[in-house]
Short mmCIF file of all heavy atoms in Angstrom, two decimals:
data_model
loop_
_atom_site.label_atom_id
_atom_site.label_comp_id
_atom_site.label_asym_id
_atom_site.label_seq_id
_atom_site.Cartn_x
_atom_site.Cartn_y
_atom_site.Cartn_z
N GLY A 600 0.77 -1.20 0.00
CA GLY A 600 0.00 0.00 0.00
C GLY A 600 0.81 1.27 0.00
O GLY A 600 0.25 2.34 -0.10
N ILE A 601 2.13 1.19 0.12
CA ILE A 601 2.92 2.42 0.17
C ILE A 601 3.95 2.50 -0.96
O ILE A 601 4.78 3.38 -1.00
CB ILE A 601 3.65 2.58 1.53
CG1 ILE A 601 4.55 1.39 1.81
CG2 ILE A 601 2.65 2.80 2.63
CD1 ILE A 601 5.42 1.55 3.05
N HIS A 602 3.87 1.59 -1.90
CA HIS A 602 4.85 1.56 -2.99
C HIS A 602 4.81 2.82 -3.84
O HIS A 602 5.79 3.20 -4.47
CB HIS A 602 4.64 0.31 -3.85
CG HIS A 602 5.73 0.10 -4.85
ND1 HIS A 602 6.96 -0.40 -4.49
CD2 HIS A 602 5.77 0.36 -6.17
CE1 HIS A 602 7.72 -0.45 -5.57
NE2 HIS A 602 7.02 -0.01 -6.60
N HIS A 603 3.66 3.53 -3.85
CA HIS A 603 3.54 4.75 -4.64
C HIS A 603 4.59 5.78 -4.25
O HIS A 603 5.02 6.57 -5.08
CB HIS A 603 2.14 5.34 -4.51
CG HIS A 603 1.79 5.73 -3.11
ND1 HIS A 603 1.42 4.81 -2.16
CD2 HIS A 603 1.78 6.94 -2.50
CE1 HIS A 603 1.18 5.45 -1.02
NE2 HIS A 603 1.39 6.73 -1.20
N VAL A 604 5.03 5.78 -3.00
CA VAL A 604 6.05 6.72 -2.54
C VAL A 604 7.34 6.48 -3.30
O VAL A 604 8.05 7.41 -3.69
CB VAL A 604 6.26 6.62 -1.02
CG1 VAL A 604 7.40 7.52 -0.57
CG2 VAL A 604 4.97 6.98 -0.29
N HIS A 605 7.65 5.21 -3.55
CA HIS A 605 8.85 4.86 -4.30
C HIS A 605 8.79 5.46 -5.71
O HIS A 605 9.79 5.88 -6.27
CB HIS A 605 9.01 3.34 -4.36
CG HIS A 605 10.11 2.88 -5.24
ND1 HIS A 605 11.43 3.02 -4.89
CD2 HIS A 605 10.09 2.29 -6.45
CE1 HIS A 605 12.18 2.53 -5.86
NE2 HIS A 605 11.39 2.08 -6.82
N HIS A 606 7.59 5.53 -6.29
CA HIS A 606 7.45 6.11 -7.63
C HIS A 606 7.60 7.63 -7.60
O HIS A 606 7.97 8.22 -8.61
CB HIS A 606 6.13 5.71 -8.26
CG HIS A 606 6.09 4.27 -8.62
ND1 HIS A 606 6.67 3.79 -9.76
CD2 HIS A 606 5.59 3.19 -7.98
CE1 HIS A 606 6.51 2.48 -9.81
NE2 HIS A 606 5.86 2.10 -8.74
N LEU A 607 7.34 8.25 -6.48
CA LEU A 607 7.56 9.69 -6.37
C LEU A 607 9.05 10.00 -6.34
O LEU A 607 9.48 11.05 -6.81
CB LEU A 607 6.88 10.24 -5.10
CG LEU A 607 5.37 10.20 -5.11
CD1 LEU A 607 4.84 10.60 -3.73
CD2 LEU A 607 4.81 11.11 -6.18
N SER A 608 9.82 9.11 -5.75
CA SER A 608 11.27 9.25 -5.71
C SER A 608 11.89 7.87 -5.76
O SER A 608 11.99 7.18 -4.75
CB SER A 608 11.71 9.98 -4.43
OG SER A 608 13.11 10.10 -4.40
N SER A 609 12.33 7.47 -6.94
CA SER A 609 12.85 6.11 -7.13
C SER A 609 14.15 5.86 -6.37
O SER A 609 14.58 4.72 -6.25
CB SER A 609 13.05 5.82 -8.62
OG SER A 609 13.99 6.73 -9.16
N THR A 610 14.76 6.90 -5.84
CA THR A 610 15.99 6.71 -5.06
C THR A 610 15.71 6.19 -3.65
O THR A 610 16.63 5.79 -2.95
CB THR A 610 16.80 8.01 -4.97
OG1 THR A 610 15.98 9.00 -4.34
CG2 THR A 610 17.22 8.49 -6.35
N ILE A 611 14.44 6.22 -3.24
CA ILE A 611 14.07 5.71 -1.92
C ILE A 611 13.89 4.20 -2.03
O ILE A 611 12.97 3.73 -2.72
CB ILE A 611 12.77 6.34 -1.40
CG1 ILE A 611 12.91 7.85 -1.28
CG2 ILE A 611 12.39 5.73 -0.05
CD1 ILE A 611 11.60 8.56 -1.00
N PRO A 612 14.74 3.41 -1.39
CA PRO A 612 14.56 1.96 -1.45
C PRO A 612 13.31 1.54 -0.69
O PRO A 612 12.90 2.19 0.28
CB PRO A 612 15.82 1.40 -0.80
CG PRO A 612 16.45 2.51 -0.07
CD PRO A 612 15.90 3.80 -0.61
N PHE A 613 12.71 0.45 -1.13
CA PHE A 613 11.46 -0.01 -0.55
C PHE A 613 11.55 -0.19 0.97
O PHE A 613 10.63 0.18 1.69
CB PHE A 613 11.02 -1.33 -1.22
CG PHE A 613 9.67 -1.78 -0.75
CD1 PHE A 613 8.52 -1.17 -1.20
CD2 PHE A 613 9.56 -2.81 0.18
CE1 PHE A 613 7.27 -1.59 -0.76
CE2 PHE A 613 8.31 -3.23 0.62
CZ PHE A 613 7.17 -2.62 0.14
N HIS A 614 12.67 -0.72 1.46
CA HIS A 614 12.79 -0.99 2.90
C HIS A 614 12.83 0.29 3.74
O HIS A 614 12.65 0.25 4.95
CB HIS A 614 14.01 -1.87 3.19
CG HIS A 614 15.33 -1.20 2.96
ND1 HIS A 614 15.91 -1.15 1.71
CD2 HIS A 614 16.14 -0.55 3.81
CE1 HIS A 614 17.06 -0.49 1.81
NE2 HIS A 614 17.22 -0.11 3.07
N ARG A 615 13.01 1.46 3.11
CA ARG A 615 13.04 2.73 3.86
C ARG A 615 11.71 3.47 3.79
O ARG A 615 11.56 4.53 4.39
CB ARG A 615 14.14 3.64 3.29
CG ARG A 615 15.50 3.01 3.32
CD ARG A 615 16.60 3.64 4.11
NE ARG A 615 16.41 4.81 4.85
CZ ARG A 615 17.08 5.96 4.63
NH1 ARG A 615 17.93 6.06 3.65
NH2 ARG A 615 16.88 6.99 5.41
N LEU A 616 10.73 2.91 3.09
CA LEU A 616 9.44 3.59 2.94
C LEU A 616 8.73 3.86 4.27
O LEU A 616 8.19 4.94 4.46
CB LEU A 616 8.53 2.83 1.99
CG LEU A 616 8.97 2.87 0.52
CD1 LEU A 616 8.02 2.04 -0.32
CD2 LEU A 616 9.06 4.28 0.00
N PRO A 617 8.72 2.92 5.23
CA PRO A 617 8.07 3.25 6.51
C PRO A 617 8.69 4.48 7.19
O PRO A 617 7.97 5.30 7.76
CB PRO A 617 8.30 1.98 7.35
CG PRO A 617 8.40 0.89 6.34
CD PRO A 617 9.14 1.51 5.17
N GLU A 618 9.99 4.62 7.07
CA GLU A 618 10.68 5.79 7.64
C GLU A 618 10.23 7.08 6.95
O GLU A 618 10.00 8.10 7.60
CB GLU A 618 12.18 5.58 7.46
CG GLU A 618 13.05 6.70 7.95
CD GLU A 618 14.51 6.42 7.65
OE1 GLU A 618 14.92 5.24 7.60
OE2 GLU A 618 15.24 7.41 7.47
N VAL A 619 10.09 7.02 5.64
CA VAL A 619 9.64 8.18 4.87
C VAL A 619 8.23 8.57 5.27
O VAL A 619 7.91 9.75 5.43
CB VAL A 619 9.72 7.89 3.36
CG1 VAL A 619 9.06 9.00 2.55
CG2 VAL A 619 11.17 7.72 2.93
N LEU A 620 7.36 7.59 5.44
CA LEU A 620 5.97 7.88 5.82
C LEU A 620 5.88 8.49 7.21
O LEU A 620 5.00 9.32 7.45
CB LEU A 620 5.13 6.62 5.73
CG LEU A 620 4.90 6.10 4.31
CD1 LEU A 620 4.08 4.83 4.34
CD2 LEU A 620 4.22 7.15 3.47
N LYS A 621 6.76 8.10 8.11
CA LYS A 621 6.77 8.73 9.43
C LYS A 621 7.17 10.19 9.33
O LYS A 621 6.63 11.05 10.02
CB LYS A 621 7.73 7.99 10.36
CG LYS A 621 7.20 6.67 10.84
CD LYS A 621 8.19 5.99 11.76
CE LYS A 621 7.68 4.61 12.12
NZ LYS A 621 8.68 3.84 12.86
N ALA A 622 8.11 10.49 8.44
CA ALA A 622 8.59 11.86 8.28
C ALA A 622 7.62 12.72 7.46
O ALA A 622 7.61 13.94 7.61
CB ALA A 622 9.96 11.85 7.61
N HIS A 623 6.81 12.08 6.60
CA HIS A 623 5.90 12.81 5.72
C HIS A 623 4.52 12.16 5.75
O HIS A 623 4.12 11.46 4.81
CB HIS A 623 6.44 12.84 4.29
CG HIS A 623 7.80 13.42 4.18
ND1 HIS A 623 8.03 14.78 4.15
CD2 HIS A 623 9.02 12.83 4.13
CE1 HIS A 623 9.33 15.00 4.06
NE2 HIS A 623 9.95 13.83 4.05
N PRO A 624 3.74 12.39 6.80
CA PRO A 624 2.44 11.73 6.96
C PRO A 624 1.45 11.99 5.82
O PRO A 624 0.58 11.17 5.56
CB PRO A 624 1.89 12.30 8.26
CG PRO A 624 3.03 12.95 8.95
CD PRO A 624 4.05 13.26 7.92
N ALA A 625 1.58 13.09 5.10
CA ALA A 625 0.65 13.38 4.01
C ALA A 625 0.72 12.34 2.90
O ALA A 625 -0.22 12.18 2.13
CB ALA A 625 0.95 14.76 3.44
N LEU A 626 1.82 11.62 2.80
CA LEU A 626 1.98 10.61 1.76
C LEU A 626 1.23 9.32 2.06
O LEU A 626 1.03 8.51 1.17
CB LEU A 626 3.47 10.29 1.57
CG LEU A 626 4.35 11.43 1.08
CD1 LEU A 626 5.81 10.98 1.05
CD2 LEU A 626 3.92 11.87 -0.30
N ARG A 627 0.81 9.12 3.29
CA ARG A 627 0.18 7.86 3.70
C ARG A 627 -1.07 7.52 2.90
O ARG A 627 -1.26 6.38 2.51
CB ARG A 627 -0.17 7.89 5.18
CG ARG A 627 1.02 7.71 6.05
CD ARG A 627 0.60 7.53 7.49
NE ARG A 627 1.76 7.80 8.32
CZ ARG A 627 1.75 8.58 9.37
NH1 ARG A 627 0.64 9.15 9.76
NH2 ARG A 627 2.85 8.77 10.05
N ASP A 628 -1.93 8.49 2.66
CA ASP A 628 -3.20 8.22 2.00
C ASP A 628 -3.22 8.62 0.53
O ASP A 628 -4.26 8.54 -0.11
CB ASP A 628 -4.33 8.93 2.75
CG ASP A 628 -4.50 8.37 4.15
OD1 ASP A 628 -4.33 7.16 4.32
OD2 ASP A 628 -4.79 9.16 5.06
N LEU A 629 -2.10 9.04 0.02
CA LEU A 629 -2.01 9.47 -1.36
C LEU A 629 -2.07 8.28 -2.30
O LEU A 629 -1.26 7.37 -2.22
CB LEU A 629 -0.70 10.23 -1.57
CG LEU A 629 -0.44 10.83 -2.93
CD1 LEU A 629 -1.45 11.94 -3.20
CD2 LEU A 629 0.96 11.38 -2.99
N ASN A 630 -3.08 8.27 -3.19
CA ASN A 630 -3.21 7.22 -4.21
C ASN A 630 -3.23 5.81 -3.65
O ASN A 630 -2.62 4.91 -4.20
CB ASN A 630 -2.10 7.34 -5.25
CG ASN A 630 -2.20 8.61 -6.04
OD1 ASN A 630 -3.29 9.11 -6.26
ND2 ASN A 630 -1.08 9.16 -6.43
N ARG A 631 -3.93 5.60 -2.56
CA ARG A 631 -4.05 4.25 -2.00
C ARG A 631 -5.19 3.52 -2.70
O ARG A 631 -6.25 4.08 -2.94
CB ARG A 631 -4.34 4.31 -0.50
CG ARG A 631 -3.32 5.03 0.35
CD ARG A 631 -2.07 4.26 0.66
NE ARG A 631 -2.25 2.98 1.28
CZ ARG A 631 -1.96 2.69 2.52
NH1 ARG A 631 -1.54 3.61 3.34
NH2 ARG A 631 -2.11 1.46 2.97
N TYR A 632 -4.96 2.26 -3.05
CA TYR A 632 -5.95 1.45 -3.73
C TYR A 632 -6.22 0.18 -2.95
O TYR A 632 -5.31 -0.39 -2.35
CB TYR A 632 -5.46 1.05 -5.14
CG TYR A 632 -5.35 2.21 -6.08
CD1 TYR A 632 -4.13 2.83 -6.31
CD2 TYR A 632 -6.47 2.69 -6.74
CE1 TYR A 632 -4.03 3.89 -7.18
CE2 TYR A 632 -6.38 3.76 -7.60
CZ TYR A 632 -5.15 4.36 -7.82
OH TYR A 632 -5.06 5.41 -8.68
N THR A 633 -7.46 -0.26 -2.99
CA THR A 633 -7.80 -1.56 -2.41
C THR A 633 -7.35 -2.63 -3.39
O THR A 633 -7.01 -2.36 -4.55
CB THR A 633 -9.32 -1.68 -2.19
OG1 THR A 633 -9.97 -1.68 -3.47
CG2 THR A 633 -9.87 -0.55 -1.32
N ALA A 634 -7.37 -3.89 -2.95
CA ALA A 634 -7.00 -5.00 -3.84
C ALA A 634 -7.92 -5.03 -5.05
O ALA A 634 -7.46 -5.23 -6.18
CB ALA A 634 -7.05 -6.31 -3.07
N TRP A 635 -9.22 -4.84 -4.85
CA TRP A 635 -10.16 -4.87 -5.97
C TRP A 635 -9.89 -3.73 -6.95
O TRP A 635 -9.92 -3.92 -8.17
CB TRP A 635 -11.60 -4.81 -5.46
CG TRP A 635 -12.58 -4.82 -6.57
CD1 TRP A 635 -13.37 -3.80 -7.00
CD2 TRP A 635 -12.86 -5.91 -7.46
NE1 TRP A 635 -14.12 -4.17 -8.08
CE2 TRP A 635 -13.83 -5.48 -8.38
CE3 TRP A 635 -12.38 -7.22 -7.55
CZ2 TRP A 635 -14.32 -6.29 -9.38
CZ3 TRP A 635 -12.89 -8.02 -8.56
CH2 TRP A 635 -13.85 -7.56 -9.45
N GLU A 636 -9.62 -2.53 -6.45
CA GLU A 636 -9.33 -1.39 -7.32
C GLU A 636 -8.08 -1.64 -8.15
O GLU A 636 -8.03 -1.32 -9.33
CB GLU A 636 -9.17 -0.11 -6.51
CG GLU A 636 -10.45 0.42 -5.94
CD GLU A 636 -10.22 1.56 -4.96
OE1 GLU A 636 -9.21 1.55 -4.23
OE2 GLU A 636 -11.07 2.45 -4.94
N SER A 637 -7.06 -2.23 -7.54
CA SER A 637 -5.83 -2.49 -8.28
C SER A 637 -6.06 -3.53 -9.37
O SER A 637 -5.50 -3.42 -10.46
CB SER A 637 -4.70 -2.91 -7.34
OG SER A 637 -5.00 -4.13 -6.72
N LEU A 638 -6.88 -4.54 -9.10
CA LEU A 638 -7.17 -5.54 -10.12
C LEU A 638 -7.97 -4.95 -11.28
O LEU A 638 -7.74 -5.28 -12.44
CB LEU A 638 -7.94 -6.72 -9.53
CG LEU A 638 -7.14 -7.64 -8.61
CD1 LEU A 638 -8.05 -8.68 -7.98
CD2 LEU A 638 -6.01 -8.30 -9.36
N SER A 639 -8.89 -4.07 -10.98
CA SER A 639 -9.70 -3.46 -12.04
C SER A 639 -8.87 -2.51 -12.90
O SER A 639 -9.25 -2.21 -14.04
CB SER A 639 -10.92 -2.75 -11.47
OG SER A 639 -10.51 -1.63 -10.71
N ALA A 640 -7.74 -2.06 -12.42
CA ALA A 640 -6.89 -1.15 -13.18
C ALA A 640 -6.15 -1.85 -14.32
O ALA A 640 -5.65 -1.18 -15.23
CB ALA A 640 -5.89 -0.48 -12.25
N PHE A 641 -6.09 -3.17 -14.32
CA PHE A 641 -5.37 -3.88 -15.37
C PHE A 641 -5.95 -3.62 -16.76
O PHE A 641 -5.24 -3.70 -17.75
CB PHE A 641 -5.34 -5.39 -15.10
CG PHE A 641 -4.37 -5.78 -14.04
CD1 PHE A 641 -4.81 -6.43 -12.91
CD2 PHE A 641 -3.02 -5.50 -14.17
CE1 PHE A 641 -3.92 -6.79 -11.92
CE2 PHE A 641 -2.12 -5.85 -13.19
CZ PHE A 641 -2.57 -6.50 -12.06
N ARG A 642 -7.24 -3.30 -16.82
CA ARG A 642 -7.85 -3.05 -18.12
C ARG A 642 -7.52 -1.66 -18.65
O ARG A 642 -7.71 -1.36 -19.83
CB ARG A 642 -9.36 -3.25 -18.05
CG ARG A 642 -10.07 -2.28 -17.14
CD ARG A 642 -11.56 -2.58 -17.03
NE ARG A 642 -12.22 -1.54 -16.30
CZ ARG A 642 -12.59 -0.37 -16.82
NH1 ARG A 642 -12.38 -0.11 -18.06
NH2 ARG A 642 -13.18 0.54 -16.07
N LEU A 643 -7.01 -0.78 -17.80
CA LEU A 643 -6.65 0.57 -18.21
C LEU A 643 -5.27 0.55 -18.87
O LEU A 643 -4.34 -0.05 -18.34
CB LEU A 643 -6.65 1.52 -17.02
CG LEU A 643 -7.98 1.60 -16.28
CD1 LEU A 643 -7.82 2.46 -15.04
CD2 LEU A 643 -9.07 2.14 -17.18
N ALA A 644 -5.16 1.18 -20.01
CA ALA A 644 -3.91 1.05 -20.75
C ALA A 644 -3.33 2.37 -21.26
O ALA A 644 -2.16 2.44 -21.55
CB ALA A 644 -4.12 0.11 -21.93
N LEU A 645 -4.15 3.40 -21.37
CA LEU A 645 -3.72 4.64 -21.99
C LEU A 645 -4.06 5.85 -21.13
O LEU A 645 -5.07 5.85 -20.42
CB LEU A 645 -4.41 4.80 -23.36
CG LEU A 645 -4.19 3.66 -24.35
CD1 LEU A 645 -5.16 3.82 -25.52
CD2 LEU A 645 -2.77 3.62 -24.82
N TRP A 646 -3.26 6.88 -21.23
CA TRP A 646 -3.53 8.13 -20.51
C TRP A 646 -4.25 9.09 -21.45
O TRP A 646 -3.76 9.41 -22.54
CB TRP A 646 -2.22 8.76 -20.03
CG TRP A 646 -2.45 10.05 -19.32
CD1 TRP A 646 -2.22 11.30 -19.79
CD2 TRP A 646 -2.97 10.22 -17.99
NE1 TRP A 646 -2.56 12.25 -18.84
CE2 TRP A 646 -3.02 11.60 -17.73
CE3 TRP A 646 -3.39 9.34 -17.01
CZ2 TRP A 646 -3.47 12.12 -16.53
CZ3 TRP A 646 -3.84 9.87 -15.81
CH2 TRP A 646 -3.87 11.23 -15.57
N ASP A 647 -5.42 9.55 -21.04
CA ASP A 647 -6.21 10.51 -21.82
C ASP A 647 -5.88 11.91 -21.31
O ASP A 647 -6.22 12.26 -20.17
CB ASP A 647 -7.70 10.20 -21.66
CG ASP A 647 -8.57 11.10 -22.53
OD1 ASP A 647 -8.33 12.32 -22.57
OD2 ASP A 647 -9.49 10.56 -23.16
N GLU A 648 -5.21 12.69 -22.14
CA GLU A 648 -4.79 14.04 -21.74
C GLU A 648 -5.98 14.94 -21.44
O GLU A 648 -5.94 15.73 -20.50
CB GLU A 648 -3.93 14.67 -22.84
CG GLU A 648 -2.55 14.09 -22.94
CD GLU A 648 -1.66 14.49 -21.77
OE1 GLU A 648 -1.88 15.56 -21.17
OE2 GLU A 648 -0.75 13.70 -21.46
N GLU A 649 -7.03 14.85 -22.25
CA GLU A 649 -8.19 15.72 -22.05
C GLU A 649 -8.91 15.42 -20.75
O GLU A 649 -9.33 16.33 -20.04
CB GLU A 649 -9.15 15.59 -23.23
CG GLU A 649 -8.61 16.19 -24.51
CD GLU A 649 -9.57 16.02 -25.67
OE1 GLU A 649 -10.73 15.63 -25.44
OE2 GLU A 649 -9.14 16.29 -26.81
N GLN A 650 -9.09 14.13 -20.45
CA GLN A 650 -9.81 13.73 -19.24
C GLN A 650 -8.91 13.63 -18.02
O GLN A 650 -9.39 13.51 -16.90
CB GLN A 650 -10.50 12.38 -19.46
CG GLN A 650 -11.55 12.41 -20.54
CD GLN A 650 -12.24 11.07 -20.66
OE1 GLN A 650 -12.76 10.55 -19.67
NE2 GLN A 650 -12.22 10.51 -21.85
N GLN A 651 -7.59 13.65 -18.24
CA GLN A 651 -6.61 13.55 -17.15
C GLN A 651 -6.83 12.28 -16.33
O GLN A 651 -6.88 12.31 -15.10
CB GLN A 651 -6.64 14.79 -16.26
CG GLN A 651 -6.17 16.04 -16.95
CD GLN A 651 -4.69 16.00 -17.25
OE1 GLN A 651 -3.87 15.93 -16.34
NE2 GLN A 651 -4.31 16.00 -18.53
N ARG A 652 -7.01 11.15 -17.06
CA ARG A 652 -7.19 9.86 -16.37
C ARG A 652 -6.81 8.73 -17.32
O ARG A 652 -6.71 8.92 -18.53
CB ARG A 652 -8.63 9.70 -15.89
CG ARG A 652 -9.66 9.54 -17.00
CD ARG A 652 -11.06 9.34 -16.45
NE ARG A 652 -12.02 9.04 -17.51
CZ ARG A 652 -12.36 7.82 -17.92
NH1 ARG A 652 -11.83 6.76 -17.33
NH2 ARG A 652 -13.22 7.63 -18.89
N MET A 653 -6.62 7.54 -16.75
CA MET A 653 -6.35 6.35 -17.53
C MET A 653 -7.65 5.86 -18.17
O MET A 653 -8.71 5.96 -17.55
CB MET A 653 -5.77 5.24 -16.65
CG MET A 653 -4.42 5.56 -16.05
SD MET A 653 -3.11 5.66 -17.27
CE MET A 653 -2.94 3.95 -17.72
N VAL A 654 -7.55 5.36 -19.40
CA VAL A 654 -8.72 4.84 -20.12
C VAL A 654 -8.37 3.52 -20.78
O VAL A 654 -7.20 3.18 -20.95
CB VAL A 654 -9.21 5.84 -21.20
CG1 VAL A 654 -9.68 7.14 -20.57
CG2 VAL A 654 -8.13 6.10 -22.25
N THR A 655 -9.40 2.78 -21.18
CA THR A 655 -9.21 1.54 -21.91
C THR A 655 -9.01 1.87 -23.39
O THR A 655 -9.26 3.00 -23.83
CB THR A 655 -10.43 0.62 -21.77
OG1 THR A 655 -11.55 1.27 -22.38
CG2 THR A 655 -10.74 0.31 -20.32
N PHE A 656 -8.58 0.87 -24.16
CA PHE A 656 -8.45 1.07 -25.60
C PHE A 656 -9.81 1.40 -26.22
O PHE A 656 -9.90 2.25 -27.11
CB PHE A 656 -7.85 -0.16 -26.27
CG PHE A 656 -6.35 -0.27 -26.08
CD1 PHE A 656 -5.82 -1.17 -25.19
CD2 PHE A 656 -5.50 0.54 -26.80
CE1 PHE A 656 -4.45 -1.27 -25.02
CE2 PHE A 656 -4.13 0.46 -26.64
CZ PHE A 656 -3.60 -0.45 -25.75
N ALA A 657 -10.86 0.74 -25.74
CA ALA A 657 -12.20 0.98 -26.26
C ALA A 657 -12.63 2.43 -26.00
O ALA A 657 -13.19 3.08 -26.88
CB ALA A 657 -13.21 0.02 -25.63
N GLU A 658 -12.36 2.95 -24.81
CA GLU A 658 -12.72 4.34 -24.50
C GLU A 658 -11.93 5.31 -25.38
O GLU A 658 -12.47 6.31 -25.84
CB GLU A 658 -12.47 4.65 -23.03
CG GLU A 658 -13.42 3.97 -22.08
CD GLU A 658 -13.02 4.16 -20.63
OE1 GLU A 658 -11.82 4.09 -20.32
OE2 GLU A 658 -13.94 4.36 -19.82
N ALA A 659 -10.67 5.01 -25.62
CA ALA A 659 -9.84 5.86 -26.46
C ALA A 659 -10.36 5.87 -27.89
O ALA A 659 -10.41 6.92 -28.54
CB ALA A 659 -8.40 5.39 -26.41
N GLU A 660 -10.75 4.70 -28.37
CA GLU A 660 -11.30 4.60 -29.72
C GLU A 660 -12.60 5.40 -29.85
O GLU A 660 -12.82 6.09 -30.85
CB GLU A 660 -11.54 3.13 -30.08
CG GLU A 660 -11.96 2.92 -31.51
CD GLU A 660 -12.10 1.46 -31.87
OE1 GLU A 660 -12.20 0.63 -30.96
OE2 GLU A 660 -12.11 1.19 -33.08
N GLU A 661 -13.45 5.33 -28.83
CA GLU A 661 -14.71 6.09 -28.84
C GLU A 661 -14.45 7.59 -28.94
O GLU A 661 -15.14 8.31 -29.66
CB GLU A 661 -15.52 5.79 -27.58
CG GLU A 661 -16.18 4.45 -27.56
CD GLU A 661 -16.87 4.19 -26.23
OE1 GLU A 661 -17.04 5.13 -25.42
OE2 GLU A 661 -17.22 3.02 -25.99
N SER A 662 -13.48 8.06 -28.18
CA SER A 662 -13.22 9.50 -28.17
C SER A 662 -12.57 9.98 -29.47
O SER A 662 -12.66 11.15 -29.79
CB SER A 662 -12.35 9.87 -26.98
OG SER A 662 -11.03 9.36 -27.13
N MET A 663 -11.97 9.07 -30.22
CA MET A 663 -11.33 9.46 -31.49
C MET A 663 -12.31 9.36 -32.65
O MET A 663 -12.08 10.00 -33.68
CB MET A 663 -10.13 8.59 -31.75
CG MET A 663 -9.05 8.79 -30.71
SD MET A 663 -7.47 8.14 -31.15
CE MET A 663 -7.13 8.98 -32.66
N GLY A 664 -13.38 8.59 -32.49
CA GLY A 664 -14.28 8.35 -33.62
C GLY A 664 -15.48 9.17 -33.56
O GLY A 664 -16.13 9.72 -34.29
#
């Protein structure tokens, strides 16, 4: 649930993430996903600049046609 912090700064090794969260509590709830939400994200493949969100190929095709 805290791996997103590593993506904010890839120089932070995974084993130091708990230390980072203690120092920066605002990061704790940032972009947290449940197991179900993370599984449903597999169908998302593209970033839609206009909508500022991930979309499926089908949604991207709809917006282009």
Side-chain angles (χ1 to χ4, degrees):
I601 58 173
H602 189 77
H603 62 282
V604 175
H605 173 73
H606 290 280
L607 292 173
S608 179
S609 61
T610 59
I611 300 170
F613 185 76
H614 69 276
R615 302 241 1 241
L616 290 178
E618 178 183 331
V619 171
L620 291 179
K621 285 180 185 173
H623 303 279
L626 296 175
R627 284 189 199 132
D628 295 324
L629 183 66
N630 295 328
R631 301 282 305 251
Y632 293 98
T633 66
W635 180 251
E636 288 171 325
S637 64
L638 289 175
S639 67
F641 284 121
R642 64 184 187 80
L643 302 174
L645 303 168
W646 179 256
D647 185 315
E648 287 289 333
E649 290 179 10
Q650 297 183 55
Q651 293 291 298
R652 68 178 186 92
M653 296 292 289
V654 297
T655 64
F656 282 105
E658 289 172 320
E660 187 176 18
E661 286 175 13
S662 69
M663 296 195 57

